[in-house]
Amino acid sequence: MKNTVVEGVVRNYSDLYNETNTFDLPYRSDYKLPLADNAPIPMNQVFSLCEDGIRMYNGTKSVTVENCTTKRMRSGIRLYLAEGGTITDSYAIDNESTNFNLPAGGTITNSSGNFGYGPISDFRLGRNNQDIELTIVPSPDAIGPHNIADVQGNGHDIVFHRTEGPLDENTTRAIVVTGSNSTIVNETEYPVILEATASGNKIISFGPVTDNGSGNVVCTDLEECDNLDCGGDDPFSVIEAEDFCDQFGIQTEDTEDVGEGLNVGYIHDGDWLKFNAIDFGRGAIAFDARVASKSTGGDIEIRLGSETGELVGTLSAPSTGNWQTWETASVDLLEEIEGVHDLFLVFSGGININWFTFARSADNVNLALDGTATQSSTDWGGEAIRVNDGNNSGLWGDGSITHTVNELNPWLEIDLGSVQSIDEIEIYPRIDSCCLDRLALFTVSVLDADRNEVFARSYTKAKIAPFVLQARGAEGQVVRVQLDEENPLSLAEVEVYPYVDKDTDEDGMLDGVDPDDDNDGHADEDDLFPTNSTEWADFDEDGIGDNSDTDNDNDGVVNSEDQFPLDPLEWVDTDGDGIGDNIDADDDNDGYDDTVDLFPLDANDWADSDVDGIGDNSEIAPTPINLSTRGYVLDGDKVMIAGFVLDGTDPETVLVQGVGSELEGEPFLIEGNIVDTVITLYDLDGAVVATNDDWDSDSAEEGVNAAANATTGAFALLPDSKSSAFVVTLEPGIYTIHLEDKDTLGGVALIEVYSVK
């Protein structure tokens, strides 16, 4: 798609506060949103009157958008459901919910947008591995509760350019990052916020950065940004000391150790080396270093986060007799290191260091790597051996995905070669937009050497990668993944880790005998997350604990908006009777069954006799009290007289009109009509209640009269005409109206009386 402009219209929600007629929906809902827990209608937020500008749906293959513009649509250029997407030389501005989004692996180049009404990009559904170059257009009048950008998903390469001139420096909005392992260059002064879930990201930013995550590398000092790509070394392989990302006080020199190259030397007390974003995975327990010392040796402190950060171990390097006489020294860590951290080696004494490495914890060995994978069938070249090749990319293009034919109950197995005590099984599903549901309604089981099932657990859908389940020491040789429906089975990787007895909650009891390993008050036999003290249940069987899951029943409605968060068939209870609308026979509890109620969510209405979309009880129909047409008024005091009676006990507001000159126009074409009418209202005692000459002579009265006229459907009076009208509130009683000709010439006139509701 190219050279296309799509432009729509947006309205501010605050416009709805101008809907003041009693039949208007905002008025009837007390200016609240019934399906959002009756939250007030927002004052500073827009909605579009149009659909998405450029939109792709499921089944769309690769699409390119070139030199296109979208303005004021629901979303701008929205490609996240396509299999592939490229946007170039395009512009998206003032769109409601987002301006851009992409499928996994998508690309944006030389394009721009703003965040006036929605984020510049929302990375819908956390699509991964996007390559984005966007210019952020200033949005000084931005409204609505959105961020500048919502960077979800993993593995992106993103550049946000700035435009010339001043930016919105006082904005409270930010570029918010929740995903991992992305490189983001922010050339603007806008702030960047890394949320708690963000890890392993590399951020270069001219604006301030708040890092609430872990293992992120952040640079706001341009002199330090050259080393930003440094890091990510495998801690269980040899890391050369000279490959540091930052240092203080040291120098490098040629080494005479095996392998030659360089070593780090000239070390003094307090000198340090930094290595960025080291991923220790499930655990490291020991540290080895290749050291030399001609003096008395020295110490290497192993710290996390900074040179003064958490101390996890200290290695004492011995004297080796010469600066180039090398030995390998080892030390057990004070505690097991897990996850991603910046690593600091802090020195004291006189030593050289050539390389170092860490030893894995016993449960940090992926048993599947040495296993044999088979599957029920193979299609599209997705061989089973891909599931344990060490490549966990969920993208088909990375050559890492298995694929069976479309069949009933397809399966994949990894034979570990011998019986193992199995702890965690980590499954990486496919993440291409075409195939997000390929791992749904599935069972993971462990079989012993005789193929007897020793562990099994079924799930509805793998929402996250990796999808982790605990087999809790199941003794088995084969790990099996099987769909419980007809579909192809596609997986990126399955990792299997051994069970090692430890004391998770540090209560002095090993997990093997502790009935509650995480001390959360839920016995292990009933706890789906026995080593996670914050989780124990998973209602929708999606692998995410209920305390972390934003949609516990997987019905598509987030818990905060779901009145039945543990019932996938219900989410709303309109009448508050405790019965969800989907099974409630009378949702609004008005006594009329939903099958015959034309307004099943409105207790005030159930019928619509004139089929105009307004319930009969809310219908504002004009109610004439008395109508005299084509009455003839003579000259002098020979006036036209009409009478009416208001019964009941409550006051009533009425519109009274004396119509003259309008009668000569279409469609009446009455000749001899009065031009200038005067009307006077009398009560039963003959007292004047109200009178008028020229209905729009007073601007305030004109507004009231016009509003009443429009509401009741009375005869439309023309601006600057000499007809007369007034609105008056009357007590029940008997009244008469006198209509006279101000010019005393006589002629035809019309009296109208309408009840104003």
Side-chain angles (χ1 to χ4, degrees):
M1 181 174 291
K2 61 193 301 183
N3 307 330
T4 298
V5 175
V6 186
E7 185 167 356
V9 177
V10 296
R11 283 186 63 189
N12 196 309
Y13 272 102
S14 60
D15 289 351
L16 298 177
Y17 285 92
N18 296 324
E19 306 289 346
T20 57
N21 291 316
T22 56
F23 55 80
D24 289 327
L25 289 176
Y27 177 91
R28 290 169 58 186
S29 71
D30 193 24
Y31 303 97
K32 296 178 180 177
L33 301 174
L35 297 185
D37 293 331
N38 286 317
I41 293 173
M43 290 295 292
N44 291 305
Q45 189 174 339
V46 304
F47 63 92
S48 176
L49 307 188
C50 308
E51 247 286 357
D52 296 322
I54 298 174
R55 167 72 183 264
M56 303 302 150
Y57 289 90
N58 281 324
T60 306
K61 302 298 182 181
S62 184
V63 61
T64 297
V65 177
E66 178 182 339
N67 192 34
C68 291
T69 296
T70 62
K71 296 181 179 180
R72 294 184 290 276
M73 304 297 289
R74 186 179 74 167
S75 293
I77 302 176
R78 199 173 194 184
L79 309 185
Y80 74 101
L81 290 177
E83 288 192 16
T86 299
I87 302 171
T88 182
D89 301 314
S90 293
Y91 184 63
I93 189 170
D94 288 344
N95 297 292
E96 174 200 342
S97 62
T98 189
N99 288 288
F100 295 95
N101 60 36
L102 288 171
T107 300
I108 300 176
T109 58
N110 196 34
S111 297
S112 58
N114 73 346
F115 55 93
Y117 302 142
I120 189 171
S121 184
D122 64 353
F123 293 80
R124 184 78 170 175
L125 294 183
R127 301 298 201 229
N128 297 322
N129 302 313
Q130 299 178 23
D131 190 348
I132 292 177
E133 177 199 6
L134 274 174
T135 297
I136 301 178
V137 176
S139 308
D141 300 318
I143 61 173
H146 59 275
N147 299 313
I148 295 174
D150 293 304
V151 184
Q152 305 177 63
N154 309 320
H156 305 304
D157 193 350
I158 302 170
V159 178
F160 290 123
H161 296 301
R162 63 161 293 166
T163 56
E164 295 183 2
L167 295 185
D168 318 310
E169 296 180 358
N170 295 325
T171 185
T172 58
R173 304 174 198 274
I175 298 166
V176 177
V177 182
T178 57
S180 301
N181 302 318
S182 294
T183 298
I184 302 172
V185 179
N186 172 33
E187 297 179 354
T188 78
E189 287 86 349
Y190 297 126
V192 176
I193 298 176
L194 296 160
E195 298 287 24
T197 55
S199 65
N201 296 289
K202 299 176 181 178
I203 309 295
I204 299 175
S205 179
F206 289 83
V209 178
T210 301
D211 186 1
N212 299 315
S214 61
N216 300 297
V217 179
V218 175
C219 175
T220 56
D221 185 338
L222 296 185
E223 294 182 358
E224 299 179 358
C225 290
D226 290 341
N227 289 328
L228 194 64
D229 289 333
C230 179
D233 301 289
D234 180 1
F236 308 113
S237 299
V238 169
I239 300 177
E240 296 291 338
E242 69 270 19
D243 290 339
F244 55 80
C245 297
D246 199 1
Q247 60 84 24
F248 176 77
I250 62 89
Q251 298 180 41
T252 60
E253 62 181 355
D254 292 335
T255 186
E256 298 176 10
D257 195 9
V258 177
E260 300 182 339
L262 300 175
N263 66 257
V264 170
Y266 303 95
I267 291 172
H268 303 87
D269 290 351
D271 292 352
W272 50 261
L273 301 175
K274 178 187 179 185
F275 301 84
N276 294 341
I278 304 299
D279 187 355
F280 296 95
R282 290 167 54 87
I285 57 173
F287 175 78
D288 297 342
R290 190 72 166 169
V291 295
S293 176
K294 187 177 180 180
S295 64
T296 58
D299 291 336
I300 304 175
E301 293 182 348
I302 307 152
R303 293 184 178 271
L304 304 180
S306 73
E307 67 270 24
T308 59
E310 180 186 0
L311 178 66
V312 294
T314 301
L315 181 144
S316 294
S319 172
T320 62
N322 196 291
W323 294 117
Q324 290 297 324
T325 300
W326 296 92
E327 294 183 9
T328 301
S330 302
V331 66
D332 291 337
L333 300 179
L334 298 175
E335 60 183 48
E336 193 170 315
I337 311 174
E338 298 179 352
V340 179
H341 301 275
D342 290 340
L343 173 68
F344 284 78
L345 303 182
V346 183
F347 302 98
S348 62
I351 56 175
N352 288 351
I353 180 170
N354 188 16
W355 54 257
F356 65 90
T357 188
F358 287 84
R360 296 177 185 271
S361 59
D363 60 349
N364 195 11
V365 178
N366 180 9
L367 302 174
L369 291 175
D370 295 325
T372 302
T374 56
Q375 59 187 12
S376 56
S377 60
T378 300
D379 201 4
W380 296 94
E383 297 180 351
I385 58 174
R386 292 180 172 185
V387 82
N388 60 337
D389 61 358
N391 183 353
N392 59 24
S393 171
L395 299 174
W396 179 265
D398 290 341
S400 61
I401 306 295
T402 68
H403 202 301
T404 70
V405 300
N406 187 5
E407 58 185 326
L408 181 64
N409 305 133
W411 54 265
L412 182 146
E413 293 183 349
I414 300 176
D415 189 327
L416 303 177
S418 61
V419 173
Q420 302 286 337
S421 182
I422 297 173
D423 184 15
E424 283 191 356
I425 301 172
E426 298 187 3
I427 301 174
Y428 291 79
R430 188 173 179 180
I431 61 174
D432 303 87
S433 58
C434 68
C435 310
L436 291 173
D437 293 329
R438 290 286 171 85
L439 191 55
L441 299 177
F442 65 102
T443 297
V444 181
S445 55
V446 176
L447 312 178
D448 65 16
D450 297 323
R451 299 192 61 80
N452 298 309
E453 187 177 276
V454 296
F455 170 87
R457 187 165 293 161
S458 297
Y459 296 92
T460 56
K461 185 176 182 180
K463 287 184 179 179
I464 55 176
F467 182 90
V468 180
L469 65 148
Q470 292 180 308
R472 299 297 294 142
E475 298 286 335
Q477 180 171 324
V478 177
V479 174
R480 179 184 177 99
V481 181
Q482 176 179 306
L483 295 189
D484 301 325
E485 60 176 353
E486 182 176 343
N487 222 339
L489 174 61
S490 290
L491 299 174
E493 195 78 3
V494 174
E495 298 177 358
V496 182
Y497 292 94
Y499 178 80
V500 175
D501 206 5
K502 60 179 67 175
D503 183 7
T504 298
D505 55 6
E506 299 179 349
D507 63 354
M509 299 175 63
L510 292 175
D511 291 352
V513 295
D514 192 341
D516 182 7
D517 292 347
D518 53 13
N519 198 27
D520 61 1
H522 297 268
D524 294 341
E525 61 183 0
D526 301 320
D527 191 337
L528 295 181
F529 305 89
T531 59
N532 182 347
S533 61
T534 64
E535 298 289 352
W536 45 87
D538 179 15
F539 180 81
D540 56 2
E541 298 178 337
D542 62 356
I544 304 175
D546 288 349
N547 293 331
S548 302
D549 198 343
T550 58
D551 181 10
N552 285 341
D553 54 10
N554 200 25
D555 61 1
V557 181
V558 296
N559 296 332
S560 60
E561 300 176 6
D562 192 337
Q563 292 178 265
F564 302 88
L566 298 181
D567 185 345
L569 300 178
E570 297 290 348
W571 43 89
V572 177
D573 179 15
T574 297
D575 55 7
D577 62 356
I579 304 174
D581 286 358
N582 290 334
I583 59 172
D584 195 343
D586 181 8
D587 289 346
D588 53 12
N589 200 26
D590 60 1
Y592 292 84
D593 192 279
D594 293 340
T595 58
V596 298
D597 191 338
L598 297 181
F599 303 90
L601 302 181
D602 184 348
N604 185 58
D605 275 300
W606 44 87
D608 182 14
S609 299
D610 55 5
V611 197
D612 63 354
I614 302 174
D616 290 351
N617 293 334
S618 301
E619 190 83 65
I620 308 301
T623 307
I625 294 176
N626 182 57
L627 176 66
S628 298
T629 60
R630 300 188 66 175
Y632 197 85
V633 180
L634 299 178
D635 57 358
D637 60 357
K638 299 180 177 63
V639 299
M640 181 192 301
I641 300 175
F644 64 92
V645 177
L646 293 179
D647 56 13
T649 59
D650 298 324
E652 186 160 358
T653 301
V654 298
L655 167 68
V656 180
Q657 293 194 152
V659 184
S661 58
E662 286 84 357
L663 296 175
E664 66 181 359
E666 294 284 354
F668 305 102
L669 301 177
I670 297 174
E671 297 181 355
N673 57 284
I674 294 175
V675 174
D676 192 349
T677 66
V678 177
I679 53 173
T680 304
L681 178 66
Y682 297 90
D683 63 16
L684 184 61
D685 298 325
V688 174
V689 177
T691 187
N692 177 258
D693 176 18
D694 300 342
W695 75 281
D696 60 355
S697 59
D698 180 272
S699 59
E701 289 185 359
E702 175 189 357
V704 173
N705 295 340
N709 183 290
T711 300
T712 61
F715 200 104
L717 303 182
L718 300 175
D720 300 323
S721 78
K722 297 295 184 179
S723 294
S724 51
F726 55 74
V727 175
V728 62
T729 299
L730 304 174
E731 296 292 334
I734 300 173
Y735 297 90
T736 57
I737 305 167
H738 290 195
L739 185 151
E740 59 183 295
D741 179 5
K742 186 175 181 179
D743 297 329
T744 66
L745 299 176
V748 178
L750 172 71
I751 291 178
E752 286 188 317
V753 181
Y754 280 83
S755 174
V756 179
K757 293 187 182 298

